[in-house]
Amino acid sequence: MTKFRWGVVGPGGIAVRFAEAMRLSDQGEIVAVASRSQERADAFGDRFGISARYGTYAALAADPDVDVVYVATPNSEHETHTLEFLRAGKHVLCEKPFAMDASQARVMAAEARTRGLFLMEAIWSRFLPAYRSIVEIIAEGRIGEPLQVEADFGVRMPKDPNARLFRPELGGGALLDLGIYPIQLCQMVLGAPEAVVANGVIGDTGVDEQFAAVLRHPGDRLSVATAGLRVHTSRAARISGSDGWIDLPAYMHCPRSLTLNVKAGREYIAEHMDASHEGNGMQFEIDEVHRCLSEGLTESPTMPLADTIAIAETLDAIRVQVYSDTGD
């Protein structure tokens, strides 16, 4: 069995979760870490037993012992770093949001395709047991034709002008970090929208702190997506079909259960479905990367680059309206 050697770039909080999840993988190991701070790289290396620690990203890119790189730097740097590692001949798993906009996403996808390298956006939700069950339920026709999705992700965050989420130059705001989860669910179920109507609130640091969007999908189907940094919301989701619906409890992006409501005569019967799993859940996207690389695939069928670009286009459409409506 091939064992894939990973490099981690940007050893922050999400990279810690990634490294913890890697411990559950039989096919991968982290062999290198890079940060602009040698001290941070060394601390991450000590914590996870990684021998190669670099104080520059270029040094990791030049490491011949690294097969695939996990990019976990701030949103504003995803394009630059992904292109750097692709050009160094590395496969890449880039943390969500994939890019700051669809234009960047297209450039990144084109670079990977030209070089024949694997590239995937790390939307880990799509690989969780709950999301796999959603796909199966819909494919089996258990809720009939899916017609509407409502998805919400609001968390009240302490306002800190120095925190990444409140810094526009780092790609902060609710839309890219939280809103991507409801949006990707809506599009996973109903496809890319034909039209988007949105509004939102821009905070005093210049980032979107709250938004709501209505998406019209092909076939007269609708979805509603909301997210924010101002308030705690339900953080739940519902997928409604002609013959039933699926409820995802909080947190909708990583539920460990779901409820299927199916039509039985004139009534509906609720079926509670377990979707629990070991670990923090990021191991499933790691396993997908290993599976694709083992099979010689350069894209994941579950999270293809076309989906990533379509999501970025929707985020762009929402952003334009949210910021123009506030006069910014």
Side-chain angles (χ1 to χ4, degrees), residues 37-49:
S37 163
Q38 186 65 54
E39 183 180 358
R40 291 186 70 207
D42 288 337
F44 193 88
D46 289 342
R47 180 170 180 175
F48 294 104

Side-chain angles (χ1 to χ4, degrees), residues 162-205:
N162 296 315
R164 181 184 62 81
L165 281 174
F166 291 95
R167 295 176 62 181
E169 72 274 16
L170 296 182
L175 178 62
L176 292 181
D177 267 273
L178 303 183
I180 190 170
Y181 286 120
I183 294 297
Q184 69 83 27
L185 175 62
C186 295
Q187 296 194 193
M188 184 186 84
V189 175
L190 302 177
E194 298 174 326
V196 176
V197 177
N199 210 322
V201 176
I202 307 300
D204 52 22
T205 67

Side-chain angles (χ1 to χ4, degrees), residues 115-157:
R115 295 178 180 275
L117 293 168
F118 179 85
L119 176 61
M120 186 179 88
E121 182 176 18
I123 297 186
W124 63 303
S125 302
R126 292 210 176 181
F127 305 98
L128 294 171
Y131 274 68
R132 297 285 196 182
S133 294
I134 291 168
V135 172
E136 291 174 3
I137 290 167
I138 292 173
E140 292 168 359
R142 299 189 67 186
I143 63 168
E145 180 188 359
L147 297 172
Q148 183 167 309
V149 178
E150 303 155 79
D152 166 66
F153 199 151
V155 180
R156 181 166 178 80
M157 304 291 292

Side-chain angles (χ1 to χ4, degrees), residues 12 36 58 85 137 208 222:
R36 287 198 178 98
F85 292 111
I137 290 167
D208 56 281
L222 295 174

Side-chain angles (χ1 to χ4, degrees), residues 287-303:
D287 289 343
E288 174 70 359
V289 175
H290 293 160
R291 184 188 71 80
C292 290
L293 292 177
S294 296
E295 296 178 10
L297 301 178
T298 56
E299 297 188 32
S300 163
T302 303
M303 192 64 234

Side-chain angles (χ1 to χ4, degrees), residues 14 24 78 113 135 141-142 162 167 193 206 228 237-238 244 267 303 306 314 327:
I14 193 66
L24 298 176
H78 285 181
R113 288 167 174 160
V135 172
R142 299 189 67 186
N162 296 315
R167 295 176 62 181
R238 172 171 287 188
E267 299 181 350
M303 192 64 234
T314 300

